[in-house]
Amino acid sequence: MLQDDRQSLLLVSTSEGLPQIVYWGPPIAADEVEVIARATQRDVTGGMLDRNPDLSICPEESASFPGQPGLLARNPQGKPLRPRFRFTEDWFQGTSLSLTYRDEVLGLTYWSEFGLDSATGMVTARAYLEAEELTVVDWFAAPVFPVSEAGTEMIDFAGRWCGEMRTQRVPWSAGIRSREGRTGRTGHENLPLIYLPEAGATNTQGRAEAFHYGWSGGHRMVAEELPDGRRQVQFGHTFQSESAARRRFETATLFACRSDYGLNGCAVVFQRYLRDRVVPWPNPARPRPVHYNCWEAVYFGHSMERLGDIATRAADLGAERFVLDDGWFGRRDNDTSSLGDWWIDRRKWPDGLGPLITHVKKLGMTFGIWFEPEMVNPDSELYRNHRDWALGRTDQVLGRGQMVLDMGREEVRNYLFEAMSGILSEHDIEYVKWDHNRVLPQPDASQVRGTYALIDKLRAAHPEVEFESCASGGGRIDFGILGRMHRIWLSDSNDALERLRIQHEASLLLPLAVSGSHVGPRHSHTSGRVHDIRFRAWVAAQRHMGFEMDPAELTVKEAEVLRDAIAWWKENRDWMTKADILRLDSSDPALVAEAQVAHGGERFVVFAGQAAASSQILPRPLRLAGLEPGARYRVSLRNAADSLPNLSRGSPALKEGPLELSGQYLMGQGVCLPWSFPEHMWVLEGRRI
């Protein structure tokens, strides 16, 4: 049993076989363990086997398990292997547990590792398989969890380019709900995350469980209700993505959490664990800098004169990091050439990047640069010299005019390391935006392992450099890549309305510290919509803030608004970076609202985004979350002065000035916001008094 003062995880084996998780919930007493183990046993009735097969951590076909098994393996000739594992040894220390089992006949050894992080509440689980003979594994699940039978629905995630993080609520029913990403990366379409609320659970109340699979190569998820009513969740690599016969296999880490306080309880566990345990910060004390990215200002049209002017304007607005995006290398005039040719384009940069970097540094900013290491254009020197380095058939369909390099090959990784490390060594660069704009021609787990190895080698050689994961926006978001990166580009969409939704849903997994969000151009390049600068600025201020329009397009008033929002973000970023993001239960579906509550609870900020016109005339009271019921808070509207429309003619108290209210009132009754037009953000600040 793993246990702390928050929860207990109890595994029981009724024989020498694999154990099953029989309890996961609030702490239990040691003298209850044996009774609980017996109490979880179920009856048998007509038409069933004489004993219920165990829903073990790796359900076995050999045990007549009626659902999805946890391992599907075969020998190289195609004969199925159906192991019957038996206990050999265990290891237990504090909040870590390792269990080993073996099938002597087949020569297979299985072991699993469980961990419990008491500071955050996260449970981690991972499985391994060793074979005496070469073996092909089509499916291998991380340790399997039974899940609550009190829920009526599951929440999983779909999406697309510029429309990531779309939650789907799917009813539980007999049989399998399977989600699989076969694009070779995590995918816009299949975030490896599922929430399982019990009936009646909301963002702020009720019980829930949640699972995330920390792997960047595509996953398979099975949520299954067995005929007897039990339910299981399995996560593993994409089916048959381990194409080669091998002797050793392992899953990625499965991250599991539970909550008695609604979906937010699980979200906070994910946010804290990622920020404090997963991301390898070069300097954790360094404030998150305000980004300026030049992509939507210049695209491939690079010149020192233009980018120097943009850098000057960006610094004046408050930028602290200048990022040179795609277009600086090879002969890169559009997206059909030069990927793989990682040397400076002397047509655009006759004196190299040094003059721009020097200019940026004099303005008080640091410098970042864009790479897309895993890709190659057929129109490139690299491809002309090394056609065999591309993954897949030569006549494959291209994506964005590009192919994928075979990252499983050491010579490919060595070339990329030398090219990238050379650029980083020769220039004062503290940040790399690492893009991935094409799906793989087929799933391949070795591709992910090779990419991880390259990133790890670059980070070891350049430990002060921060890396951002971008894959056409949010195509590679998972704890596996974030164990090597320091920022996520949530979406290529800088449309503030779409970003409001994406950021809201992404908070079920991601904290502010890693979630990049930029103020885009007045006219969105991806949606065609036009949004007021106040809405764009405050949506970006919800996360790791930046901007990427051409600053010359801003009017004097727009520049003033943006400068003010950036200044506010800088003043608050230290505590917001460590804050919990809590989604609020709004009774108005047109309002997308969250509270960011500081560690220790002494202050908070509420972002209330009016995404559409409400069906009723006036705003409904908005209930807050995460406050102390008995404490009193001073609450005020940060942006009332420049945001009140003429049609807001009444006198709600917040328009007149700060209020002092109890946490009980703020969470139980809520606050009355002024009326606003759609596509508007209210920013509500609070301090405990």
Side-chain angles (χ1 to χ4, degrees), residues 583-602:
R583 291 153 45 108
L584 300 182
D585 289 327
S586 172
S587 54
D588 183 351
L591 191 72
V592 179
E594 69 180 32
Q596 297 187 18
V597 181
H599 179 70
E602 72 279 359

Side-chain angles (χ1 to χ4, degrees), residues 604-606 624 627 632-638 653-663 665-666 670-673 683-689:
F604 65 84
V605 60
V606 171
L624 307 190
L627 309 181
R632 294 183 67 82
Y633 297 86
R634 184 178 177 86
V635 182
S636 60
L637 271 178
R638 168 59 175 78
L654 280 171
K655 287 174 66 173
E656 307 301 321
L659 301 175
E660 294 186 3
L661 295 164
S662 69
Y665 180 90
L666 291 168
V671 294
C672 292
L673 296 168
V683 181
L684 186 71
E685 294 183 289
R687 284 182 177 270
R688 190 169 55 202
I689 55 177

Side-chain angles (χ1 to χ4, degrees), residues 325-345:
D325 212 286
D326 194 354
W328 57 268
F329 55 93
R331 298 183 69 85
R332 183 75 163 173
D333 296 326
N334 55 55
D335 61 7
T336 65
S337 74
S338 299
L339 284 178
D341 298 344
W342 299 113
W343 51 81
I344 296 166
D345 185 349

Side-chain angles (χ1 to χ4, degrees), residues 298 301-313 348-349 355-356 359:
V298 301
H302 289 200
S303 72
M304 178 61 205
E305 180 181 8
R306 187 173 185 198
L307 285 165
D309 176 67
I310 286 174
T312 300
R313 294 173 184 268
K348 300 176 183 178
W349 300 100
L356 177 62
H359 179 64

Side-chain angles (χ1 to χ4, degrees), residues 105-157:
V105 174
L106 297 178
L108 298 175
T109 301
Y110 169 94
W111 77 94
S112 59
E113 296 175 347
F114 291 86
L116 174 58
D117 186 74
S118 297
T120 63
M122 183 68 79
V123 175
T124 57
R126 195 177 184 104
Y128 305 82
L129 182 72
E130 285 192 350
E132 293 177 359
E133 304 294 334
L134 287 174
T135 300
V136 178
V137 168
D138 294 323
W139 169 246
F140 187 30
V144 175
F145 280 66
V147 295
S148 173
E149 296 169 43
T152 58
E153 63 182 7
M154 59 191 85
I155 304 172
D156 62 18
F157 295 77

